Amino acid sequence: MNLFERFLTVWVGLCIVVGVALGHFLPGLFANVAAAEIAKVNLPVAALVWLMIVPMLLKIDFAALGAVKEHWRGVAVTLFINWGVKPFSMALLGALFIGHLFAGLLPPDQIDSYIAGLILLAAAPCTAMVFVWSNLCDGEPHYTLSQVALNDLIMVFAFAPLVGLLLGISAITVPWDTLVLSVVLYIVVPVVVAQTLRRVLLSRGGPAALAATLHRMQPVSLLALLATLVLLFGFQGRAILDQPLVIGLLAVPIIIQVYLNAGLAYWLSRRFGVAWCVAAPAALIGASNFFELSVAAAISLFGLNSGAALATVVGVLVEVPVMLSVVHLVKATRPWYERKTV
């Protein structure tokens, strides 16, 4: 790793501080940037996500996607975590921490709403950012793309019934415009752009041209990640400073569930003999959340100023730094993972 990549955690911390400070002192600027959205999908953030994930998608050879069937155990583990564990574990953690342990420190009339927001956050697996996490831990890109596409398909049918079951609401209003637009912006468009560019590079300069382009784009991808972090924390800079205790308390079950589900996915992958290059992104996909959808659903169901909306926003705030720590953990434990089990 170069100097910039080696101290990525430091740059992340600085971006968080800068984002909060700018959001507090320049609220009008960030309000205007936040308003540049369609169906609750922020367009500046979407553009930065493109810069992050297009280099990763350039690595994917669609002709090799058939090889993903060799990693069916990794797919099964991630599906189990995303749909059989994560939403239910978050419901339990929310009830334990927000409903009981922290109840005396929170507004009583918002406790149920906070828990609902946490459940909404956990009920939708992440779509775009997992490409970044997978790339940072040298994950198998074909598996990552296939797993994200499969989760998106399942989400169309399972999100509303699952949320309805956990929240006890008979009719869930799914923000279909947010769901569809997010999939188009974060999956379809980047895949088309990346595959078109890949074909052009290979036809003109062969593998060497592709490798050179990937090398040049890597710093751009990391800079886009840091810029996204500044924006996300800038959007909520005032809320963080106005309600630091509430933000901190809501972050506790979110952070615990990330490490819980990532650890469970990683351990199950090892038990079932999944290759590390699949187990690492499997852990990350199993732990991360589709925050655009969860925020939009919380606003549509409970209102913009509800506790549910705030809880989903806290998920946005902890996503990048916490997932970067998971990337570090899976990379640091690779020797243990690949050690022969007895």
Side-chain angles (χ1 to χ4, degrees), residues 70-74 77 265-279 337-339 341:
E70 301 174 6
H71 304 302
W72 67 269
R73 292 183 179 86
V77 166
Y266 197 54
W267 177 77
L268 286 174
S269 295
R270 188 172 188 260
R271 292 290 296 175
F272 289 124
V274 177
W276 184 86
C277 64
V278 170
Y337 187 95
E338 294 183 333
R339 190 182 308 142
T341 57

Side-chain angles (χ1 to χ4, degrees), residues 85-100 115 119 166 253 260:
V85 176
K86 187 153 71 84
F88 302 96
S89 65
M90 181 60 95
L92 290 173
L93 289 170
L96 174 63
F97 285 94
I98 306 304
H100 291 86
I115 295 174
I119 291 171
L166 291 173
L260 171 68

Side-chain angles (χ1 to χ4, degrees), residues 2 4-5 47-59 135 190 193-195 197-198 201 209-225:
N2 58 38
F4 180 76
E5 293 171 325
L48 289 171
V49 169
W50 291 343
L51 292 176
M52 282 187 277
I53 68 177
V54 165
M56 297 108 193
L57 295 173
L58 270 175
K59 299 178 180 180
N135 183 68
V193 170
Q195 289 303 303
L197 181 57
R198 177 186 172 89
L201 290 170
L210 177 61
T213 300
L214 286 170
H215 180 73
R216 288 194 298 269
M217 292 184 72
Q218 185 173 4
V220 175
S221 181
L222 291 176
L223 287 172
L225 172 62

Side-chain angles (χ1 to χ4, degrees), residues 42-50 52 186 228 231-232 235 291-292:
N42 186 267
L43 298 181
V45 171
L48 289 171
V49 169
W50 291 343
M52 282 187 277
Y186 295 144
T228 302
L231 278 184
L232 293 178
F235 291 157
F291 53 78
E292 294 89 355

Side-chain angles (χ1 to χ4, degrees), residues 238-308:
R238 179 165 291 181
I240 293 172
L241 296 177
D242 288 346
Q243 305 180 72
L245 178 61
V246 174
I247 299 291
L249 294 178
L250 289 173
V252 172
I254 297 173
I255 293 172
I256 291 175
Q257 76 95 20
V258 167
Y259 291 123
L260 171 68
N261 290 298
L264 181 59
Y266 197 54
W267 177 77
L268 286 174
S269 295
R270 188 172 188 260
R271 292 290 296 175
F272 289 124
V274 177
W276 184 86
C277 64
V278 170
L284 295 158
I285 295 171
S288 55
N289 304 304
F290 189 173
F291 53 78
E292 294 89 355
L293 179 61
S294 62
V295 171
I299 291 172
S300 66
L301 288 171
F302 299 98
L304 179 63
N305 297 315
S306 65

